[in-house]
């Protein structure tokens, strides 16, 4: 009796575990779909023809229409209209000209990936230069932000000085000011410095970033005072405490700062657009704007350019994935 | 730690490499504009041709993606005392730049040795120079001016038994009704007569066609909320909500290109964008006529900034003179769909060829001959936004009747006008 109960219990728990596992996987799959579908859509759009992009219902896999020519070969065409009752299809050749009506059996569709969109997009602007510029701006900004954010956050979290909280509140209130409000005054300052159309204009004003300071400060505050007292008693300086104790304990938050800074600098658009004039200093995002015009956007070219613009970020993430997850998992003691 | 230092060293090395490349000075004549896509490409090609045929001058084409960014950049540059030499501007910005004495009067250039004769001035399309004149002084020249056109799908028209574009408001709604269909018989409409975005420009055109005007003649109060305006908005709402659909952004244009919509109104510039991206037989036509034919020009002008060195300003004028000459403006118009700013340009072979390529295009461009202009005060620039958001949008979304919506918009715009 007792044994049976145990067995029942075990299978019951096993079933429950299996149930929660199903729920877990379902949840994860939803997450995967939410994250992957826009990405997939971007890649699919980048491989379509401008006409296919506008089709409704949309095609998930880029598809081309082909019609049999008199010689029996298949020629790529656009379908103008379909007459289901008569079983015919009106097609136009890709080069234009009048439509011709063919029996439906002479028209077939198959997967057609237009990699030529990538070449066309790449040729539209000096993207190699834009890449170099973006990478340089991102690395400089990142290095600067790590230094200034760590030092400022340490001061706000651990040091006592008059007006500390007021200054911190002032910092926080600056986070509420939207970019269009300060972009014109910033332009004036940079112009007076003679920095318009230079790398400095895109790097120096962003060397300190309040959100990062805030994030690090919140984390630094969770490191126990006991650690600090013990270190100071052992003759550790304040900077050494930051370098040897606080930062190693903050890898997870620092990883977040790195990701946040890299992504936001990589994607920054309005600031570099306004502060620069020529392609030799402009970053990728400004280059992408080339595909939009007053009355519409070249979606296929823009998506192709978007794919190769974010590809380095995705590749970098795959390589750093282990480190990023590890640093998030082993974030050390908390207060 | 060592790896970190190696990284830092690499960054610095790369920086030194790159910074050395960017230390060169800008020596050219900067032209700030917001032309992107094929329009920007056309402009770049034309500027490159100008530079190669005018040794000693280099016009630098500096694209700024959109008018919002361009306006902020100009504001900042003027305040810092470092403007470009040439820039694309809306009339409302020009008014402010004149007030700050930031831009150059063009009178001396026109009357100078390299100027324009009376015949040449008379050759500009009607209204184009007047629209760029403030207190009798010409401050800017028309650059990218467009009007609205009706684009229609000949294949869909033919299946509905229609052979030509609507010419009157009555035909407009009637054709739109006949083109609205449920093709697959599922009880839902899947082919629309027309489609459009929430656009103050569309309403303003219909207002003019209905004999109304935007502001009172002295420009101090709204006139669009009078009965002519209410009727025009009622017509627009009926057209777009009963026999058409209201979409965001350029979706209406996409739907038209996909063959789901019989006809749309759009800017003449839309043709350069839609070209080659549809599979039906397309034609164009002038806007249907209400009580009268009417349309309003949209687009920007080009100014020369006062702070630039004299020889740069002279070179900039030379470029303007070249760009507005009949042959060049005709090339610009044929490639982009913007107006050729000169009457004689309409007769040149390149324009005639374009009119031959696109059915109805000549009649569409003939609208430039009688087109009107919007008020150009900075107050109206803000007021127009209120007309679009408070007036046109709430009526098209059926939150308010057209009369209520226009009354609310008029209150907002009048407050803006009084704040002057």
């Amino acid at each position: 009796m007792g044994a049976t109960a145990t067995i029942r219990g075990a299978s019951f728990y096993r079933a429950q575990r299996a149930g929660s596992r199903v729920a877990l996987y379902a949840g994860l799959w939803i997450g995967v779909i939410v994250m992957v579908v826009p990405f997939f859509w971007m890649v699919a759009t980048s491989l379509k023809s401008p006409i296919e992009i506008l089709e409704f219902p949309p095609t998930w896999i880029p598809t081309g229409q082909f019609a049999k020519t008199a010689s029996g070969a298949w020629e790529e065409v656009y379908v103008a209209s379909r007459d289901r009752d008569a079983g015919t299809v009106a097609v136009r050749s890709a080069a234009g000209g009048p439509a011709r009506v063919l029996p439906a059996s002479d028209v077939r569709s198959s997967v057609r990936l237009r990699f030529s969109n990538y070449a066309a997009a790449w040729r539209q602007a000096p993207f190699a230069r834009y890449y170099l510029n973006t990478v340089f701006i991102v690395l400089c900004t990142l290095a600067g932000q790590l230094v200034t954010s760590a030092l400022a956050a340490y001061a706000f979290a651990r040091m006592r000085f008059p007006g500390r909280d007021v200054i911190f509140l002032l910092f926080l209130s600056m986070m509420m000011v939207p970019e269009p409000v300060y972009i014109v005054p910033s332009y004036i300052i940079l112009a007076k410095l003679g920095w318009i159309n230079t790398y400095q204009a895109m790097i120096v004003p962003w060397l300190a970033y309040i959100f990062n300071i805030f994030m690090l400060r919140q984390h630094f505050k969770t490191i126990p005072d006991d650690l600090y007292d013990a270190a100071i008693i052992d003759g550790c300086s304040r900077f050494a405490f930051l370098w040897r104790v606080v930062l190693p304990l903050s890898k997870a938050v620092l990883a977040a700062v790195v990701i946040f800074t890299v992504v936001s600098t990589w994607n920054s658009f309005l600031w570099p657009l306004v502060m620069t004039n020529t392609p030799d200093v402009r970053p990728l995002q400004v280059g992408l704007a080339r595909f939009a015009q007053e009355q519409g956007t070249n979606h296929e070219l823009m998506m192709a350019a978007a794919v190769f613009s974010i590809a380095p970020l995705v590749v970098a993430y795959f390589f750093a994935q282990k480190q990023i997850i590890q640093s998030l998992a082993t974030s050390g003691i908390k207060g | 730690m060592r790896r970190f230092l190696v990284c830092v060293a690499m960054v610095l090395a790369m920086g030194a490499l790159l910074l050395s490349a960017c230390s060169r000075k800008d020596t050219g004549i900067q032209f700030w504009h917001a032309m992107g896509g094929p329009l920007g490409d056309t402009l770049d090609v034309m500027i490159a041709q100008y530079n190669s045929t005018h040794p000693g001058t280099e016009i630098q084409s500096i694209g700024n993606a959109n008018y919002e960014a361009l306006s902020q950049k100009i504001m900042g540059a003027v305040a810092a005392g470092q403007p470009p030499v040439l820039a694309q501007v809306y009339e409302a910005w020009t008014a402010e730049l004149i007030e700050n004495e930031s831009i150059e009067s063009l009178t001396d250039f026109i009357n100078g040795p390299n100027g324009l004769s009376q015949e040449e001035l008379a050759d500009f399309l009607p209204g184009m120079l007047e629209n760029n004149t403030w207190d009798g002084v010409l401050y800017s020249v028309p650059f990218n001016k467009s009007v609205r056109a009706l684009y229609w799908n000949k294949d869909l028209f033919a299946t509905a038994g229609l052979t030509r574009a609507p010419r009157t408001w009555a035909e407009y709604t009637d054709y739109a009704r006949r083109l609205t269909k449920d093709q697959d018989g599922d009880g839902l409409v899947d082919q629309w007569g027309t489609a459009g975005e929430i656009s103050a420009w569309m309403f303003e055109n219909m207002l003019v066609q209905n004999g109304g005007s935007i502001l009172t003649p002295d420009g101090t109060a709204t006139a669009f909320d009078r009965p002519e305006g209410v009727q025009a908005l009622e017509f627009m709402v009926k057209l777009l909500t009963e026999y058409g659909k209201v979409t965001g952004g350029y979706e209406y244009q996409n739907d038209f290109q996909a063959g789901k919509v019989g006809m749309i109104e759009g800017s003449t510039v839309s043709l350069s964008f839609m070209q080659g991206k549809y599979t039906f037989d397309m034609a164009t036509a002038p806007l249907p006529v209400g009580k009268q034919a009417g349309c309003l020009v949209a687009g920007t002008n080009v100014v020369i900034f006062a702070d630039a060195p004299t020889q740069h300003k002279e070179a900039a004028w030379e470029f303007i003179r070249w760009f507005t000459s009949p042959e060049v403006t005709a090339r610009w118009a044929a490639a982009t769909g913007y107006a050729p700013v000169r009457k004689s340009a309409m007769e040149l072979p390149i324009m005639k060829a374009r009119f031959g390529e696109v059915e109805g295009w000549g009649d569409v461009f003939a609208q430039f001959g009688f087109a009107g202009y919007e008020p150009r005060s900075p107050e109206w620039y803000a007021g127009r936004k209120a007309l679009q958001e408070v007036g046109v949008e709430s009526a098209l979304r059926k939150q308010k009747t057209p009369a209520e919506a226009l009354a609310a918009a008029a209150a907002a715009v009048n407050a803006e006008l009084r704040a002057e």
Side-chain angles (χ1 to χ4, degrees):
Chain A
M1 181 77 180
T4 340
T6 315
I7 290 161
R8 260 192 204 143
S11 65
F12 172 74
Y13 285 122
R14 215 176 296 132
Q16 197 184 33
R17 247 203 323 270
S20 69
R21 182 158 287 199
V22 167
L24 176 71
Y25 277 107
L28 285 175
W29 270 111
I30 290 171
V32 167
I33 289 166
V34 168
M35 300 308 289
V36 168
V37 165
F39 205 83
F40 176 81
W41 191 243
M42 173 176 72
V43 176
T45 305
S46 75
L47 295 167
K48 290 180 181 178
S49 76
I51 289 174
E52 195 185 350
I53 284 171
L54 302 173
E55 263 172 29
F56 194 87
T59 49
W60 283 95
I61 307 289
T63 308
Q65 311 291 334
F66 298 85
K68 205 179 234 169
T69 59
S71 62
W74 292 93
E75 176 208 14
E76 181 157 22
V77 292
Y78 293 117
V79 171
S81 63
R82 284 176 197 277
D83 189 337
R84 281 193 183 76
D85 303 328
T88 57
V89 182
V91 300
R92 278 203 168 83
S93 79
R100 57 184 200 272
V101 178
L102 298 171
S105 58
D106 277 1
V107 179
R108 63 156 199 215
S109 58
S110 69
V111 176
R112 171 83 163 86
L113 305 178
R114 288 164 203 272
F115 290 103
S116 58
N117 286 342
Y118 284 79
W122 183 268
R123 273 198 306 270
Q124 292 249 319
F127 277 104
R129 183 75 203 189
Y130 289 152
Y131 262 119
L132 211 63
N133 293 337
T134 293
V135 169
F136 178 66
I137 293 162
V138 166
L139 289 181
C140 289
T141 310
L142 177 64
Q145 281 195 18
L146 283 175
V147 172
T148 58
S149 305
L151 290 174
Y154 183 70
F156 280 131
R158 200 135 286 285
M159 293 165 73
R160 282 192 189 85
F161 52 91
R164 180 184 73 172
D165 295 339
V166 175
I167 295 173
F168 186 64
L169 277 178
L170 275 178
F171 266 54
L172 287 189
S173 66
M174 283 303 293
M175 274 170 65
M176 314 297 167
V177 183
E179 193 171 27
V181 172
Y182 57 77
I183 200 153
V184 172
S186 306
Y187 186 96
I188 298 170
I189 295 170
L190 292 174
K192 299 229 156 163
L193 287 170
W195 283 8
I196 295 302
N197 206 32
T198 62
Y199 289 109
Q200 308 70 306
M202 289 174 283
I203 298 166
V204 177
W206 298 98
L207 286 182
Y209 198 69
I210 299 163
F211 182 72
N212 287 343
I213 297 173
F214 173 71
M215 219 159 48
L216 285 173
R217 172 197 180 260
Q218 296 311 99
H219 181 74
F220 290 176
K221 272 188 110 62
T222 65
I223 292 170
D225 290 343
D226 302 349
L227 277 178
Y228 180 68
D229 296 339
I232 297 297
I233 289 165
D234 284 346
C236 182
S237 71
R238 273 179 173 156
F239 181 75
F241 180 69
L242 169 68
W243 185 251
R244 293 177 183 206
V245 181
V246 175
L247 291 182
L249 287 178
S250 309
K251 277 185 191 154
V253 187
L254 287 172
V257 168
V258 169
I259 295 169
F260 187 76
T261 307
V262 169
V263 171
S264 67
T265 312
W266 194 279
N267 290 336
S268 163
F269 170 67
L270 186 62
W271 184 279
L273 172 68
V274 171
M275 303 306 172
T276 63
N277 295 328
T278 53
D280 52 347
V281 289
R282 282 185 156 176
L284 276 171
Q285 292 298 328
V286 176
L288 284 187
R290 185 172 188 85
F291 300 106
Q293 74 167 42
E294 227 172 295
Q295 302 295 334
T297 302
N298 283 320
H299 297 281
E300 72 289 356
L301 297 185
M302 190 172 213
M303 287 302 121
V307 169
F308 64 63
S309 298
I310 64 154
L313 280 189
V314 176
V315 172
Y317 179 78
F318 279 129
F319 277 105
Q321 195 180 18
K322 213 168 122 190
Q323 279 76 8
I324 290 168
I325 291 171
Q326 221 162 42
S327 67
L328 290 172
T330 59
S331 55
I333 51 168
K334 287 220 167 190
Chain B
M1 190 67 201
R2 195 199 272 160
R3 212 192 297 165
F4 176 71
L5 287 177
V6 169
C7 280
V8 170
M10 270 169 59
V11 169
L12 289 179
M14 206 173 137
L17 184 91
L18 282 170
L19 288 170
S20 65
C22 90
S23 57
R24 60 159 193 81
K25 280 269 157 287
D26 298 320
T27 50
I29 292 155
Q30 293 195 358
F31 175 22
W32 289 5
H33 59 81
M35 301 276 98
L39 303 174
D41 293 341
T42 304
L43 182 62
D44 283 352
V45 166
M46 291 178 69
I47 289 179
Q49 280 168 355
Y50 178 82
N51 287 338
S52 66
T53 51
H54 292 73
T57 9
E58 194 210 343
I59 306 288
Q60 266 188 303
S61 165
I62 293 173
N64 292 290
N66 58 59
Y67 292 118
E68 202 65 45
L70 180 65
S71 122
Q72 286 177 323
K73 198 160 166 162
I74 290 175
M75 267 197 282
V78 165
Q82 298 178 13
V85 185
L86 285 163
Q88 205 188 351
V89 292
Y90 273 109
E91 289 86 359
W93 311 352
T94 313
E96 281 176 358
L97 291 169
I98 294 171
E99 212 163 290
N100 302 333
E101 299 181 351
S102 309
I103 52 172
E104 194 72 27
S105 145
L106 301 180
T107 313
D108 289 348
F109 293 119
I110 290 174
N111 297 331
N114 197 17
L116 292 169
S117 67
Q118 285 307 314
E119 295 81 63
E120 285 174 304
L121 288 172
D123 189 35
F124 276 83
L125 287 172
M128 288 254 174
L129 291 182
E130 289 80 350
N131 186 52
N132 285 291
T133 303
W134 275 263
D135 291 329
V137 181
L138 187 76
Y139 276 99
S140 52
V141 286
F143 175 65
N144 62 329
K145 296 295 194 184
S146 50
V147 288
R148 293 176 75 80
L150 191 76
Y151 297 93
W152 55 291
N153 182 327
K154 287 178 84 174
D155 297 354
L156 294 187
F157 268 59
T159 30
L162 299 166
T163 53
R164 60 168 177 83
R167 290 179 188 150
T168 63
W169 276 17
E171 285 179 357
Y172 203 174
T173 39
D174 179 46
Y175 286 17
R177 183 180 53 77
R178 286 161 68 176
L179 287 158
T180 304
K181 288 178 184 172
D182 171 14
Q183 298 280 58
D184 54 11
D186 64 354
L188 296 169
V189 171
D190 43 29
Q191 177 189 305
W192 295 94
T194 184
E197 61 176 337
I198 294 162
S199 156
W201 193 27
M202 184 170 183
F203 165 68
E204 289 164 358
N205 274 273
M206 290 177 167
L207 172 70
V208 172
Q209 289 155 13
N210 201 36
S213 62
I214 299 172
L215 300 181
T216 54
D218 60 357
T220 55
T222 57
F224 63 72
D225 50 333
R226 293 181 183 169
E228 295 86 8
V230 174
Q231 283 165 9
L233 189 55
E234 279 166 356
F235 173 72
M236 179 173 167
V237 169
K238 183 180 161 87
L239 182 71
L240 283 182
T241 59
E242 285 181 30
Y243 313 122
K245 59 178 185 172
V246 180
T247 70
Y250 293 114
E251 229 177 284
Y252 71 99
Q253 191 172 297
N254 295 346
D255 287 343
F256 174 71
Q257 285 172 264
K260 312 269 169 222
V261 172
M263 56 184 162
I264 56 164
E265 279 190 26
S267 159
T268 45
V269 188
S270 297
L271 181 68
S272 72
F273 176 74
M274 290 195 283
Q275 201 106 73
K277 294 178 184 169
Y278 48 83
T279 60
F280 50 85
D281 209 2
M282 193 186 79
T284 63
L287 295 179
V289 175
K291 282 182 194 157
Q292 60 189 51
C295 65
L296 291 170
V297 174
T300 73
N301 313 296
V302 167
V303 294
I304 299 179
F305 285 87
D307 272 354
T310 311
Q311 71 267 34
H312 278 189
K313 284 191 271 197
E314 278 165 4
W317 167 254
E318 175 59 32
F319 174 70
I320 287 179
R321 218 176 64 100
W322 176 81
F323 202 86
T324 54
S325 66
E327 294 75 24
V328 179
T329 196
R331 248 164 67 205
W332 172 242
T336 59
Y338 287 123
V341 297
R342 304 280 284 263
K343 289 177 206 159
S344 56
M346 296 274 195
E347 308 303 326
L348 292 176
I350 185 165
M351 285 309 296
K352 291 278 180 208
R354 191 74 181 129
F355 294 155
E357 272 164 31
V358 184
E359 185 180 334
W361 204 232
D363 295 336
V364 168
F365 267 55
Q367 295 180 114
F368 283 112
F370 58 80
Y373 293 82
E374 285 190 38
R376 36 176 212 183
S377 64
E379 294 74 31
W380 172 245
Y381 194 67
R384 192 181 199 273
K385 219 173 146 196
L387 171 60
Q388 170 138 334
E389 287 166 6
V390 181
V392 178
E393 176 158 8
S394 56
L396 280 176
R397 295 208 189 284
K398 304 267 178 106
Q399 292 152 341
K400 291 196 179 99
T401 66
E404 288 165 1
L406 288 181
V413 175
N414 281 323
E416 203 70 58
L417 292 171
R418 272 195 300 272
E420 187 184 353

